[in-house]
Amino acid sequence: MLTRASVLAKLIFSLSSASGAPIQPSRNVQQEGKEQDPLLLRAARGEAVEHTPVWMMRQAGRHMQAYRDLVDRYPTFRQRSELPDVSRDISLQPFRAYGVDGVILFSDILTPLPAMGVDFDISEGGTISIQPVRTREAFAKLKRIDVKTACPFVGEVLGDLRAEVGHAAAVLGFIGLPFTLATYVVEGQTGVATGFSQIRRLRHEDPKLLHDILLLLADNIADYACYQIDSGAMIIQVFDSWAGHLPDDAFREFALPYQKKVIDEIKRRHPETPIIIYMAPGEYSREGRRLAQLARTGADIVSIDHTIDFRRAREIVPDGIGIQGNLDPKVLRDGPLEEIREQTERILDAARGTRHIMNLGHGIEPDTPESHAAFFVKTVQSYATDR
Ligand code: CP3
């Protein structure tokens, strides 16, 4: 049987015999001569890696001039996210500009809704409008979706991204978890503007209807995540951004079981695909108050916000689960560079020897200078793991 060493020796010999001088395999080539999986994917699986991978939530979008330049030609968010060539190019903009280790699909958590019978629109100013679903009659019109025929553009973009980035970065897909999606479907707009009042009312007045909505969303969204994996997504990030507004009992009843249902179904069909879970800082989630629960959802990595110190988060999240985060997006926006470096290195120091993916505590602020984003990525990628 050939050992790894003998395969390597043969490889070096065959390379050197062709050119006369011995050639060392490049750092990105495994000893077997096969290219390694992307750094972010290996880190997400919990393998030891040469440096901490880095990407930024909401990295594709308004903070980049290249994105703002496209807005004249493709004025609506739905065009930019549903025309495959446009969505693909936007997804690649931060990869090309900063060399991030992760390329996330340019899309939205709302993208699969029209296929379920819930139409939506996003104005140029970012205002979301949706046909609200608050009654049994409205719910009866919603349907299970066949994701392949419903969102073919998403599959096409993910396939293109894989072909484009090869092993240089990991391609991420993403979904909104049922509670967070339900806030949009029930409010008919962002719950941030309404104080989540309609979904709170439904929780009390017709919890059975809300459970039926959540269940349908869970089944559809699990299919949609699996479709993204089948199409090329190597990692799935699942967002329950607004579940941090739920008090304990409501969280246990309306958010947690549906988080688990979606994650269980993705894991059943794609056990090898790492899942990252994120919740935004809210009244009941800030300062790590939901971390222990998020760590038990079956996700491989918990993406933490910036309201908790990394070391404290590491104490709460068990060792077998990775942590993503947690630079404050306002620090990245405001700088100065020295402050960005200090805070980034403080997190990297605290994370040393643990399973960690560098990211922000929430999405990048739209008025973040590109020079700050570039500096942050470079700081992480040049941080020496052995110092
Ligand atoms: O921010 C989070 O908590 C992440 C989860 C989330 C996304 N979309 C992911 C996303 C949430 C809660 C949404 C809903 C949504 N959709 C919002 C948030 C705030 C609100 O008002 O409720 C907004 C602004 C939209 C519409 C939208 N989505 C726009 C206008 C854009 C593009 C440009 C930009 O810079 O904002 C998106 C893109 C988007 N939303 C991505 C993701 C993962 C794209 C990929 C990326 O991360 O770069």
Side-chain angles (χ1 to χ4, degrees), residues 112-130:
L113 290 182
M116 300 178 207
V118 182
D119 208 14
F120 79 93
D121 193 32
I122 300 179
S123 77
E124 278 200 66
T127 305
I128 298 170
S129 43
I130 305 174

Side-chain angles (χ1 to χ4, degrees), residues 55-64 67 77 80-81 90-91 94 104-110 120 122-128 174-176 180 183-184 189-193 237 239-242 278-280 362-364 366:
W55 66 285
M56 295 169 286
M57 288 191 279
R58 305 292 286 268
Q59 64 188 11
R62 282 167 299 170
H63 90 280
M64 296 197 73
Y67 174 82
F77 174 76
R80 297 193 289 279
S81 55
I90 296 172
S91 307
I104 188 158
L105 169 74
F106 184 76
S107 181
D108 196 66
I109 59 169
L110 306 177
F120 79 93
I122 300 179
S123 77
E124 278 200 66
T127 305
I128 298 170
F174 70 93
I175 54 147
T180 290
T183 65
Y184 291 93
Q189 57 178 306
T190 176
V192 177
Q237 176 140 345
F239 290 99
D240 218 349
S241 300
W242 306 136
Y278 175 78
M279 189 178 293
H362 201 171
I364 188 168

